[in-house]
Amino acid sequence: MLFKPERLKYVRKQIETKGCVFCEAVSRGVGRDSLVLYADDTVMVVMNKFPYNTGHVLVLPRRHEGELPQLSPKENANVFAMVQRCVKVLKEAYTPAGFNVGMNLGASAGAGIPEHLHVHVIPRWNGDTNFFPLIAQTKVVVETLEQTYDRLIPYFDASRS
Ligand SMILES: [Zn+2]
C-alpha cells in the first residue's frame, strides 16, 4: 500500500505543531524552564510568559487544537476541571479578590496564539488594571515568573492532587 492517509495526517500534525509555543513548552516537560506547571495525556497548565497579573496561568488541551468544537468530551471535561483546580490553587496561593477566566477564539477575538486553544485564568485584586497592577492601595503581589512558578508548583505535585 503506497498511500497511507494516517501517515500523511501524522506528518501534517508535526508541521502544524512545530512553532507552537505551547507544544514546544510541554515537549520540554514540567519545569521552571518551560514554565509548565502540569501536564497529563489530555490537559496541561502553563504560566503566561507575559502575565496580565501575578499568577496568570493558561489551561490547555494537551493536543494541538484550535477549534473549541473539536475537543473530545473527555478533553472538554478535563480542561474545565483543571480550570477549577487552578482557581482553587490560585485562591490558596494569592487570595485574590476575584478572577477573570476566559478564552479568546480566533485572532480577531484577541487570541495571541489562535492555533492552540487556551483558557486564561487571571487572579484579580481590587484596584488593579488589565495590564499593570497599580502600586498604591492594592494587595497585588509583584513577583518574577520564576518566583510565581516556585510558589505554584507544589500545588500541582501529584502527591497533593
Ligand atoms: Zn500547540
Side-chain angles (χ1 to χ4, degrees):
M1 193 162 72
L2 289 172
F3 181 65
K4 292 180 178 171
E6 283 313 305
R7 172 75 188 154
L8 189 66
K9 209 163 125 190
Y10 174 76
V11 171
R12 196 172 60 217
K13 203 59 157 182
Q14 291 302 100
I15 293 164
E16 282 169 359
T17 57
K18 202 174 177 184
C20 172
V21 292
F22 301 133
C23 289
E24 192 272 330
V26 77
S27 76
R28 288 190 282 140
V30 169
R32 222 176 183 219
D33 180 50
S34 63
L35 296 177
V36 174
L37 286 159
Y38 178 89
D40 64 24
D41 290 347
T42 53
V43 64
M44 60 185 271
V45 180
V46 64
M47 286 174 46
N48 192 331
K49 251 187 183 164
F50 308 100
Y52 298 168
N53 235 343
T54 297
H56 182 172
V57 299
L58 306 171
V59 180
L60 309 89
R62 177 72 182 264
R63 191 166 61 82
H64 186 80
E65 178 59 64
E67 292 294 328
L68 186 59
Q70 295 300 322
L71 290 188
S72 71
K74 190 182 174 194
E75 285 172 320
N76 230 357
N78 291 357
V79 165
F80 202 76
M82 187 50 77
V83 168
Q84 276 189 315
R85 185 167 164 195
C86 286
V87 167
K88 191 168 171 259
V89 162
L90 292 166
K91 268 187 174 179
E92 273 186 57
Y94 293 104
T95 57
F99 287 90
N100 288 117
V101 174
M103 305 179 84
N104 302 320
L105 302 179
S108 59
I113 302 161
E115 61 273 17
H116 196 146
L117 292 166
H118 50 282
V119 183
H120 294 266
V121 181
I122 309 168
R124 300 298 303 266
W125 286 267
N126 294 324
D128 68 11
T129 69
N130 270 331
F131 292 94
F132 298 104
L134 301 172
I135 306 298
Q137 60 181 317
T138 69
K139 291 184 210 157
V140 174
V141 184
V142 180
E143 300 178 324
T144 64
L145 284 176
E146 289 74 19
Q147 287 172 321
T148 305
Y149 188 89
D150 290 347
R151 186 193 291 262
L152 293 180
I153 192 65
Y155 291 97
F156 290 93
D157 276 357
S159 55
R160 290 197 51 151
S161 62

